């Protein structure tokens, strides 16, 4: 017969139950849809004016001019594709990993502009380009994107969520 300590050691704790149980799958759904909303909003805000999106990319002064238009014009479509896949819940872990890489690139770009003293609006949700130094919001933008990065990390670690095509295909 097992001792009480052995039985207790094998019993999952409340935190483990919360992370592995149905509540985690519902939380994952909320995270998945929240991240989808972010990507959808960002993509829709930029897709109507691709020249403005390219100008936002140019303002960072990081990429060679030959890449500015392809990135500026293509990024909204990538963001909308990520949003759609997250809403459907298809390839959640892969989409979350792509999201995380994109967010890391955005954070690095914002930090780079800040460190180099370039005064820009990030252009994350439309607009973008050079602004007065008093209008920059680098810290807020980095913190916001870091929050989205945490959401992506959750979905990388726990891609199984309620109401997803991934769960339906696995069944």
């Amino acid at each position: 017969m097992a001792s009480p300590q052995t039985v207790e050691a094998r019993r999952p704790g409340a935190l483990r139950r919360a992370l592995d149980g149905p509540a985690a799958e519902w939380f994952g759904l909320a995270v998945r849809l929240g991240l989808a909303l972010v990507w959808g909003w960002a993509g829709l805000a930029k897709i109507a004016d691709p020249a403005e999106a390219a100008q936002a990319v140019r303002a960072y002064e990081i990429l060679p001019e030959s890449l500015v238009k392809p990135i500026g014009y293509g990024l909204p479509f990538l963001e909308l594709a990520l949003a759609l896949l997250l809403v459907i819940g298809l390839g959640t872990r892969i989409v979350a990993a792509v999201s995380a890489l994109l967010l890391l690139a955005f954070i690095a770009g914002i930090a780079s502009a800040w460190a180099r003293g370039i005064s820009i609006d990030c252009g994350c949700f439309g607009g973008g380009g050079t602004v007065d130094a008093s209008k920059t919001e680098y810290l807020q933008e980095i913190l916001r994107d870091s929050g989205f990065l945490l959401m992506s990390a959750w979905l990388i670690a726990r891609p199984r969520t309620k109401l997803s095509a991934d769960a339906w295909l696995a069944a």
Side-chain angles (χ1 to χ4, degrees):
M1 181 162 240
S3 71
Q5 288 95 0
T6 307
V7 171
E8 189 61 37
R10 283 186 269 159
R11 188 177 309 149
L15 179 60
R16 175 57 58 197
R17 283 193 307 273
L19 290 175
D20 288 338
E25 291 184 23
W26 285 108
F27 180 73
L29 172 64
V31 168
R32 197 183 83 221
L33 294 178
L35 200 54
L37 179 67
V38 168
W39 288 130
W41 179 16
L44 287 173
K46 290 184 273 213
I47 204 162
D49 192 350
E52 185 179 62
Q55 178 54 37
V57 171
R58 184 177 291 110
Y60 283 88
E61 300 177 15
I62 294 174
L63 296 174
E65 189 59 33
S66 62
L67 292 179
V68 167
K69 277 190 178 178
I71 300 290
Y73 282 55
L75 188 58
F77 291 99
L78 174 60
E79 291 168 337
L80 289 172
L82 294 173
L84 179 63
L85 289 169
L86 285 165
V87 166
I88 295 168
L90 184 61
T92 302
R93 179 174 276 148
I94 294 167
V95 173
V98 171
S99 295
L101 291 173
L102 201 52
L103 288 161
L104 286 170
F106 292 164
I107 291 167
I110 294 165
S112 171
W114 192 7
R116 292 179 292 138
I118 299 171
S119 299
I120 60 170
D121 171 14
C122 77
C124 302
F125 297 98
T130 305
V131 296
D132 186 73
S134 66
K135 303 279 187 201
T136 61
E137 297 180 341
Y138 298 126
L139 181 59
Q140 297 92 316
E141 292 163 351
I142 290 171
L143 291 173
R144 178 201 61 215
D145 287 357
S146 295
F148 299 150
L149 182 59
L150 289 173
M151 294 168 73
S152 297
W154 175 271
L155 292 174
I156 291 168
R158 301 216 174 265
R160 184 181 174 128
T161 65
K162 291 287 185 183
L163 308 175
S164 70
D166 289 340
W168 180 75
L169 291 172

